[in-house]
Amino acid sequence: MAGGLKAGFVRLMHHLQDPQHVARFQRLCGVRGTEPRDRLRYGAPNARHGDVQSGGGDTARRRTAGAESDGEKGSNVFANGAAGDNVNGQARDKEAVEAQGSAVKPFRRNSLTGDVGQEFIIDNKFLFYLFTLGTELGNELFYISFFPFFMWNVDAYVSRRLVVVWVLVMYLGQCTKDVIRWPRPASPPVVKVEMFYNSEYSMPSTHAMSGTAIPLCLFLLTYSRWEYPLLLGLSLAISWCVLVCLSRIYMGMHSILDIIAGFLYSLLILVVFSPALDIIDTFNCTHPYAPLIIISLHVGLGLFSFTLDTWSTSRGDTAQILGSGAGIALASHINYHLGLLPDPPVSVLPLQPPSFTLSLIGLCLLRFLLGVLILLATRVVMKALAIPLVCWLFGIPSNDVRKARQHMEVELPYRYIVYGTVGLNALFLVPFLFAHVGLL
């Protein structure tokens, strides 16, 4: 009996991991490759998850930006076609498929290999832009926009706790990827609508994890603190979660199993750590040794994660997340002792949302724009200082920055220093300056 259940569970896992399901969902949403003849020639229906053509997993992970062949560097939209195809036949195929939809390429090249990806056909532009928005809700641009805006304009109390959850979820997700080491869905049959993270491992989906944890935690933290309809908050949280999860399948970056695992993993982390958020935040703000422990803990976690695998883009992301979390935790400690951004007393809860006026909207936008300019300047200055300094300390040539950053000795301290400073300035320096110029 137990053996039968185990065998059935294994079959279900393989079924959910099948890249054909991803390809079917993409076709249903109007995404098609530009090489139908080549898909048939390569036998896409029988393509196995993890084949070399997928560009994911160990094969792509161990390629560096300078290791591409001359043929790869000179590739065009038909670069992966069969060597015997003639140019005229390819042109006719391209014209035929483009006549039925819009031919586009991934917005960003792969951050490790530099691969720009192939063209694909979009038949449904609305879904393309909708799922592009969904996947951006789990990317760096969203994090560096959403968290600061929430800190400066809505509720610093909630944002501090939300960042703690984000750091835990992303760190555990990235480490789990490098323990399991499953490749991305194979291509073909999957169309790679996104290339940026294609060299990272796949299981679990950290986009699904953050897309689950952030909206649900935001709802849990704000519902008893702010007055708004329960149904509205719950609907927004669920919609956010579903959009991010489906976007990763649409982009060809994850299997259904990756998404389900990321969703459930994130729920488990929330259940375990949510009761401890008050304890963690109080410790960060009030304990006299909090700064030393925060820095030591985050550096230690970074060192552990960097020993899990060879260099990849996920290593830098992990250091960046840990650095941001450490900087914001340190800022919480400084703010508490300086009385900056004080938490409102319990007696005034629940808080009433302010009336949306033009002056309020203008003030929020002004804070956001000025704050982002300060954070961007911080990033540029610290990056210019940190990389040469770290390379000098460890005797690593700094003339090729991409190659230098593939050394753990460079990537970990560089990311940690830069984004630790950005996090510190986001919650301390920017509000401090706003308070002195009358913008708070």
Side-chain angles (χ1 to χ4, degrees), residues 89-208:
Q90 290 175 332
R92 285 193 299 270
D93 283 346
K94 183 181 179 182
E95 291 171 0
V97 292
E98 285 184 350
Q100 303 175 29
S102 300
V104 295
K105 295 191 75 170
F107 291 137
R108 297 174 296 176
R109 66 179 62 196
N110 186 279
S111 57
L112 175 61
T113 66
D115 188 2
V116 296
Q118 289 181 277
E119 271 191 349
F120 47 87
I121 304 299
I122 296 298
D123 292 328
N124 190 321
K125 290 185 178 181
F126 171 76
L127 289 180
F128 173 70
Y129 291 118
L130 178 66
F131 287 126
T132 297
L133 171 64
T135 205
E136 286 299 326
L137 291 177
N139 287 342
E140 179 184 355
L141 179 61
F142 168 74
Y143 297 137
I144 63 177
S145 302
F146 174 76
F147 288 132
F149 183 88
F150 207 88
M151 291 172 189
W152 305 330
N153 294 303
V154 185
D155 196 333
Y157 172 94
V158 171
S159 66
R160 296 197 309 262
R161 286 158 170 77
L162 198 60
V163 168
V164 170
V165 171
W166 171 67
V167 171
L168 284 169
V169 165
M170 295 300 293
Y171 176 77
L172 292 174
Q174 294 285 21
C175 289
T176 304
K177 278 185 178 183
D178 292 318
V179 170
I180 298 177
R181 300 187 181 187
W182 283 2
R184 299 283 183 179
S187 175
V190 172
V191 178
K192 297 296 182 180
V193 180
E194 181 184 84
M195 290 296 298
F196 189 73
Y197 297 108
N198 196 45
S199 298
E200 292 185 13
Y201 293 125
S202 185
M203 166 64 79
S205 167
T206 47
H207 268 77

Side-chain angles (χ1 to χ4, degrees), residues 119-382:
E119 271 191 349
F120 47 87
I121 304 299
I122 296 298
D123 292 328
N124 190 321
K125 290 185 178 181
F126 171 76
L127 289 180
F128 173 70
Y129 291 118
L130 178 66
F131 287 126
T132 297
L133 171 64
T135 205
E136 286 299 326
L137 291 177
N139 287 342
E140 179 184 355
L141 179 61
F142 168 74
Y143 297 137
I144 63 177
S145 302
F146 174 76
F147 288 132
F149 183 88
F150 207 88
M151 291 172 189
W152 305 330
N153 294 303
V154 185
D155 196 333
Y157 172 94
V158 171
S159 66
R160 296 197 309 262
R161 286 158 170 77
L162 198 60
V163 168
V164 170
V165 171
W166 171 67
V167 171
L168 284 169
V169 165
M170 295 300 293
Y171 176 77
L172 292 174
Q174 294 285 21
C175 289
T176 304
K177 278 185 178 183
D178 292 318
V179 170
I180 298 177
R181 300 187 181 187
W182 283 2
R184 299 283 183 179
S187 175
V190 172
V191 178
K192 297 296 182 180
V193 180
E194 181 184 84
M195 290 296 298
F196 189 73
Y197 297 108
N198 196 45
S199 298
E200 292 185 13
Y201 293 125
S202 185
M203 166 64 79
S205 167
T206 47
H207 268 77
M209 291 181 69
S210 67
T212 300
I214 291 178
L216 291 183
C217 186
L218 185 61
F219 169 70
L220 294 174
L221 289 171
T222 58
Y223 181 66
S224 60
R225 185 174 172 82
W226 289 82
E227 277 197 359
Y228 61 83
L230 171 65
L231 185 59
L232 174 64
L234 193 58
S235 299
L236 289 175
I238 293 174
S239 299
W240 183 337
C241 175
V242 171
L243 178 60
V244 174
C245 290
L246 290 181
S247 73
R248 302 312 287 163
I249 301 176
Y250 179 91
M251 294 292 167
M253 288 290 99
H254 288 286
S255 68
I256 296 175
L257 182 59
D258 298 337
I259 299 299
I260 294 175
F263 172 77
L264 295 177
Y265 195 9
S266 189
L267 289 182
L268 176 62
I269 293 171
L270 284 178
V271 169
V272 172
F273 287 101
S274 288
L277 286 180
D278 281 340
I279 298 174
I280 294 172
D281 187 58
T282 301
F283 172 84
N284 290 342
C285 292
T286 63
H287 197 281
Y289 297 112
L292 178 62
I293 295 174
I294 289 167
I295 294 173
S296 301
L297 176 62
H298 285 74
V299 169
L301 291 174
L303 289 172
F304 170 76
S305 69
F306 268 67
T307 62
L308 291 174
D309 196 8
T310 55
W311 186 89
S312 75
T313 53
S314 66
R315 301 281 70 72
D317 293 341
T318 303
Q320 182 172 317
I321 291 163
L322 290 171
S324 301
I328 289 172
L330 288 174
S332 302
H333 186 83
I334 297 171
N335 288 352
Y336 176 82
H337 288 281
L338 294 181
L340 187 64
L341 294 178
D343 298 329
V346 178
S347 59
V348 304
L349 300 180
L351 301 173
Q352 298 285 338
S355 301
F356 289 97
T357 62
L358 288 178
S359 60
L360 176 62
I361 294 173
L363 178 61
C364 291
L365 290 177
L366 180 61
R367 288 175 187 156
F368 179 71
L369 292 175
L370 292 177
V372 167
L373 288 176
I374 294 172
L375 297 186
L376 289 176
T378 300
R379 182 179 179 273
V380 170
V381 171
M382 294 306 299

Side-chain angles (χ1 to χ4, degrees), residues 379-390:
R379 182 179 179 273
V380 170
V381 171
M382 294 306 299
K383 185 175 180 179
L385 295 174
I387 293 180
L389 174 62
V390 174

Side-chain angles (χ1 to χ4, degrees), residues 68-87:
E68 296 151 324
S69 66
D70 291 339
E72 288 174 314
K73 292 178 180 177
S75 63
N76 55 29
V77 296
F78 301 107
N80 291 332
D85 285 350
N86 63 71
V87 176

